[in-house]
Amino acid sequence: MTNDKYLVLFVEGDDDERFFKSFFNNDPKIQYYKYSKKKKEEIKKYLQSIKRMSNFDYLYIADSDGKSCAERKELILEKINVCESEKIIVVCYEIESWYLAGLSKEDKKDMKIKKEFEKTDCLTKEFFQSVVPTQFTSEIDFMIEILKVYKKEVANTNNLSFGKFYKKMA
């Protein structure tokens, strides 16, 4: 019998999974559950099964989508009433803001990002799309390149919700 601890991250979709796999260096003890296309009852059943296992824990990650973090958390608790409040991580605004938060000034210059930004707490997916440099063939390619140079310490100062998550994971 193993004493290994596992963490299940409930993520909205592929962009979130890509981000967290990079953040956690593809740690095999971290599993991902993409919930955006799942039924509420299916999510609840999976959460309940995780809670019954002593060597498993979870975090439920969601974009704030323009709502306050507290309001978004309340909506999740209403919908997924088996989720624990302290296990919910709200990304302000959307996961794309966390991607951009980890770029230093030098990285932005090297990638030929023309728009200026520093604090990313209110940046949207649409803003992210507007800063994708022309040398990238897709947003996904851009995200992958960002993750190659991503600086957690920079993101920690550029995005308040990332900073809270970063401290929680330390």
Side-chain angles (χ1 to χ4, degrees), residues 18-25 152 162 165-166 169:
R18 182 180 313 105
F19 179 87
F20 290 105
K21 278 186 174 181
S22 176
F23 182 91
F24 291 111
N25 299 312
K152 294 174 186 174
F162 178 86
F165 172 75
Y166 188 63
M169 293 295 102

Side-chain angles (χ1 to χ4, degrees), residues 10 33 37-47:
F10 285 72
Y33 181 88
K37 294 180 181 157
K38 307 277 189 200
K39 292 185 172 146
K40 176 174 62 171
E41 290 308 314
E42 188 179 343
I43 297 167
K44 287 164 80 170
K45 282 181 184 176
Y46 189 53
L47 264 171

Side-chain angles (χ1 to χ4, degrees), residues 46-54 56 58 81-84:
Y46 189 53
L47 264 171
Q48 288 168 321
S49 70
I50 290 169
K51 289 165 82 172
R52 286 191 296 268
M53 294 183 276
S54 62
F56 273 77
Y58 74 92
N81 59 358
V82 298
C83 196
E84 299 160 273

Side-chain angles (χ1 to χ4, degrees), residues 119-134:
K119 300 292 183 192
T120 66
D121 299 291
C122 295
L123 298 186
T124 62
K125 178 187 283 287
E126 292 75 22
F127 181 85
F128 182 88
Q129 291 166 339
S130 78
V131 301
V132 177
T134 56

